[in-house]
Amino acid sequence: MTNSFNSIKCKDITWEGRADCLHCLIRRHDVLATVDVAQHEELLRPIIQYKYCRKNNLYNQGDEATDLFIVRNGMLKLEETLKDGTARIVRLIHRGGIAGIETLLDQNQSYEQSAIAVHETEVCKIPFRVFHNLMNIVPEFIDAIMKQWQQQLEASENVLINFSTGPLKQRLARIMLMLVEESYKQGNTEINMLQIEDIAALTGVTKESVSRVLAEFKRSQLLIKISPHRFDFDKEGLREIADS
Amino acid sequence: MTNSFNSIKCKDITWEGRADCLHCLIRRHDVLATVDVAQHEELLRPIIQYKYCRKNNLYNQGDEATDLFIVRNGMLKLEETLKDGTARIVRLIHRGGIAGIETLLDQNQSYEQSAIAVHETEVCKIPFRVFHNLMNIVPEFIDAIMKQWQQQLEASENVLINFSTGPLKQRLARIMLMLVEESYKQGNTEINMLQIEDIAALTGVTKESVSRVLAEFKRSQLLIKISPHRFDFDKEGLREIADS
DNA sequence: CGAATCTTTGAATCCTCTCAAGTCTTGTGG
DNA sequence: CCACAAGACTTGAGAGGATTCAAAGATTCG
């Protein structure tokens, strides 16, 4: 299953039509796995599928919240812009993850971070009230939501512990290994490289520092450029640095 | 309401008897606010109240999970020990917060971090199954749990954004301001200082670096030592550094 | 092709770490 | 209650790492 759509030119946001939950192959990965979609077809009708290309915003910090987004494939960043203008990624959202979960609480009427695609990413856009209805109707759905909340918590802890602690070399090796795992999941044999600035926002350092360390990785053949954004890698070598 | 028990010598864990939820003055601050305690007295009977003195562990990373803990007052750290032996605090738990929330998911039978008192801290120890029963019986309780999950998420984001990003001076000023707010809540006019090593684990730097910057704060009168662990502070000065 | 954006590299500065020693505080047992 | 031991905190000096500012290459988009 290589991502055929990676080769297609991609810049914007594409409307991919009403979601077909009944025949959705990846539903088992997300919270809707707990829902009998045939039974609730009516309720699920407003769900729309979109494709967001690299760098497109799903929503911005502070925007009024109307929808949640489930990631079908690709990767999102949840990013907070700090007072001094720099950005900090608080967590990454992978397949099955939800962007905007904080808006499920009644008191939150707006998004707390910006959600932006870091790779080409397909999502299902689900109106807020559909989620609320499902929570009222399907008991198992609540369990799935709690599980999702815990996963988001772990995703943030991951950024803190693995990407924001220790020498930069180590942190970047860990990020590369995360990208390796991600590429396996997508059926690729090469890394889909993040932008330098995203890596900087993930580690809390400057983009120059990131660039320097990655240059070192390339010189020592830990990363080998295949094409723009595409890299082959030395997993063992990266692992060694990550665990050092 | 100054903490009278701060003056009493305190080293260990004290059993304070069965919790009296019915007359509990701080219940409105936590998830049990949604529960009619008179109606569910039977179910709540196993709840025990404890006092943990500074540095005592409620549980350790990997321990089999049997109970959750609600903080009545004081402060806990949730700490992860990394491969190289250093510790990283992933979040702090204040009044009304829950330690061990991750164990509410069926698949988690053990705690993911260690929970340790950083100040003298009173907690209610609640068996796991009591929580589960309440979730089944009281619909509003589930809402409160979700809210709590979101608060834990925000507590982790706070460590990442405010305590692990930017120059160390700035981060330490922010931690001091957090302690200022904490002291207000407890009705004190002085900071209850964290241990240097805890501050280091919160910021991801060495204890020597923390000590040096705090020494600078003391020299410039941003912090003024009153007694061991107790400091007067210059809130405006700290604010200025925190926002610089 | 040209403009805008993203990435790389250099050199000087600043910050943080390491290792080491010394001081202060706290807890324990005589 | 005091003395000693253990733990916590401070300080110094040198090395190593990250930042800043600036400029030059790449890449992408129109």
Side-chain angles (χ1 to χ4, degrees), chain B residues 14 28 36 49 70 74 174-175 195 199 232 234:
Chain B
T14 315
R28 61 193 172 87
D36 181 339
Q49 197 170 317
I70 298 182
R174 293 191 190 122
I175 291 176
Q195 292 216 164
I199 301 177
D232 206 346
D234 169 2

Side-chain angles (χ1 to χ4, degrees), chain B residues 11 167-168 204-206 208-209 212 228:
Chain B
K11 291 182 327 192
L168 187 53
V205 301
T206 59
E208 291 93 335
S209 295
R212 271 182 249 275

Side-chain angles (χ1 to χ4, degrees), chain B residues 15-48:
Chain B
W15 186 86
E16 300 190 322
R18 265 193 47 215
D20 181 9
C21 295
L22 201 55
H23 302 104
C24 177
L25 290 172
I26 64 160
R27 216 183 71 240
R28 61 193 172 87
H29 293 295
D30 69 53
V31 290
L32 290 177
T34 56
V35 177
D36 181 339
V37 296
Q39 190 188 334
H40 300 102
E41 206 197 337
E42 179 80 20
L43 181 57
L44 299 174
R45 194 161 303 161
I47 301 178
I48 311 268

Side-chain angles (χ1 to χ4, degrees), chain A residues 41-243:
Chain A
E41 206 197 335
E42 179 80 20
L43 181 57
L44 299 174
R45 194 161 303 161
I47 300 178
I48 313 266
Q49 197 171 316
Y50 286 93
K51 185 169 76 182
Y52 284 80
C53 298
R54 194 186 270 258
K55 288 188 253 183
N56 283 94
N57 285 44
L58 283 74
Y59 54 77
N60 282 310
Q61 198 171 358
D63 281 359
E64 194 193 346
T66 52
D67 304 88
L68 290 88
F69 299 81
I70 297 182
V71 173
R72 295 175 57 79
N73 54 50
M75 203 190 316
L76 302 176
K77 61 175 171 180
L78 294 191
E79 190 176 73
E80 213 145 307
T81 301
L82 310 179
K83 279 186 203 135
D84 68 356
T86 64
R88 194 75 159 93
I89 295 176
V90 298
R91 57 189 173 278
L92 297 170
I93 312 280
H94 306 259
R95 166 180 294 174
I98 298 175
I101 196 170
E102 71 273 19
T103 65
L104 283 179
L105 298 179
D106 294 336
Q107 72 258 36
N108 283 1
Q109 301 303 332
S110 58
Y111 301 108
E112 296 203 346
Q113 295 94 21
S114 300
I116 304 166
V118 293
H119 295 158
E120 195 167 323
T121 302
E122 283 182 313
V123 299
C124 287
K125 181 176 179 174
I126 306 182
F128 200 52
R129 66 191 150 72
V130 173
F131 252 80
H132 264 294
N133 282 334
L134 287 173
M135 283 165 74
N136 290 329
I137 298 169
V138 184
E140 298 78 26
F141 190 67
I142 292 187
D143 297 339
I145 293 289
M146 290 206 194
K147 195 171 158 184
Q148 176 61 217
W149 234 307
Q150 176 60 23
Q151 279 172 13
Q152 303 249 342
L153 195 49
E154 287 170 20
S156 282
E157 291 166 7
N158 183 40
V159 173
L160 184 62
I161 291 176
N162 291 315
F163 303 159
S164 306
T165 306
L168 187 54
K169 241 177 118 169
Q170 219 174 74
R171 300 190 236 166
L172 293 191
R174 293 191 189 122
I175 291 175
M176 294 305 114
L177 287 170
M178 180 270 291
L179 294 177
V180 168
E181 294 308 314
E182 202 57 18
S183 73
Y184 288 163
K185 274 195 242 164
Q186 312 265 338
N188 295 327
T189 55
E190 298 147 8
I191 280 179
N192 190 355
M193 185 60 83
L194 297 176
Q195 291 214 168
I196 299 282
E197 255 190 288
D198 284 339
I199 302 178
L202 206 45
T203 49
V205 301
T206 60
K207 56 187 190 302
E208 291 94 334
S209 296
V210 171
S211 178
R212 271 181 248 275
V213 174
L214 287 186
E216 205 183 317
F217 283 4
K218 287 170 204 166
R219 278 195 295 275
S220 52
Q221 307 275 304
L222 291 164
L223 295 174
I224 297 144
K225 186 164 190 167
I226 305 292
S227 65
H229 297 287
R230 295 275 164 191
F231 285 82
D232 205 347
F233 51 85
D234 169 4
K235 195 175 171 184
E236 289 315 307
L238 288 169
R239 174 96 282 142
E240 208 163 295
I241 293 176
D243 291 342

Side-chain angles (χ1 to χ4, degrees), chain B:
Chain B
M1 179 188 80
T2 40
N3 276 332
S4 58
F5 61 73
N6 272 324
S7 47
I8 303 169
K9 202 153 191 177
C10 173
K11 291 182 327 192
D12 301 311
I13 302 168
T14 315
W15 186 86
E16 300 190 322
R18 265 193 47 215
D20 181 9
C21 295
L22 201 55
H23 302 104
C24 177
L25 290 172
I26 64 160
R27 216 183 71 240
R28 61 193 172 87
H29 293 295
D30 69 53
V31 290
L32 290 177
T34 56
V35 177
D36 181 339
V37 296
Q39 190 188 334
H40 300 102
E41 206 197 337
E42 179 80 20
L43 181 57
L44 299 174
R45 194 161 303 161
I47 301 178
I48 311 268
Q49 197 170 317
Y50 286 93
K51 185 170 76 182
Y52 284 79
C53 299
R54 195 184 270 257
K55 287 189 251 183
N56 284 93
N57 285 44
L58 282 74
Y59 54 76
N60 282 310
Q61 198 170 359
D63 282 359
E64 194 193 346
T66 52
D67 303 88
L68 289 89
F69 298 81
I70 298 182
V71 173
R72 294 175 57 81
N73 54 49
M75 203 190 316
L76 302 177
K77 60 176 172 180
L78 295 191
E79 190 176 72
E80 213 146 306
T81 302
L82 311 178
K83 280 187 204 137
D84 69 355
T86 62
R88 194 76 160 92
I89 295 176
V90 298
R91 57 188 172 278
L92 297 170
I93 312 280
H94 306 258
R95 166 181 296 175
I98 298 175
I101 196 170
E102 71 275 18
T103 65
L104 283 180
L105 299 179
D106 294 334
Q107 72 259 38
N108 284 2
Q109 301 304 331
S110 58
Y111 300 108
E112 297 201 349
Q113 295 95 19
S114 301
I116 305 166
V118 293
H119 294 158
E120 194 167 323
T121 301
E122 282 182 313
V123 299
C124 287
K125 180 175 180 175
I126 306 182
F128 201 51
R129 67 192 148 71
V130 173
F131 252 80
H132 264 294
N133 281 335
L134 286 173
M135 283 164 75
N136 290 328
I137 298 170
V138 184
E140 298 79 25
F141 189 67
I142 293 187
D143 297 340
I145 294 289
M146 291 206 191
K147 195 172 160 186
Q148 176 61 216
W149 233 308
Q150 176 60 22
Q151 278 173 12
Q152 303 249 341
L153 195 50
E154 287 170 19
S156 283
E157 291 166 5
N158 183 39
V159 173
L160 184 62
I161 291 176
N162 292 315
F163 302 160
S164 305
T165 305
L168 187 53
K169 237 177 122 169
Q170 219 174 73
R171 300 190 235 166
L172 293 192
R174 293 191 190 122
I175 291 176
M176 293 306 113
L177 287 171
M178 179 271 290
L179 293 177
V180 169
E181 292 310 314
E182 201 58 19
S183 73
Y184 288 162
K185 274 195 243 166
Q186 311 266 338
N188 295 326
T189 55
E190 298 147 9
I191 280 178
N192 190 355
M193 185 60 82
L194 296 176
Q195 292 216 164
I196 299 281
E197 259 192 282
D198 285 339
I199 301 177
L202 206 46
T203 50
V205 301
T206 59
K207 55 186 192 301
E208 291 93 335
S209 295
V210 171
S211 178
R212 271 182 249 275
V213 175
L214 287 187
E216 205 183 317
F217 283 4
K218 288 171 203 165
R219 276 194 297 275
S220 52
Q221 309 275 303
L222 291 165
L223 295 174
I224 297 143
K225 185 163 190 168
I226 305 292
S227 64
H229 298 284
R230 296 272 163 194
F231 284 82
D232 206 346
F233 51 86
D234 169 2
K235 195 174 172 185
E236 288 314 307
L238 289 169
R239 174 96 283 143
E240 208 164 294
I241 292 176
D243 291 343
S244 66

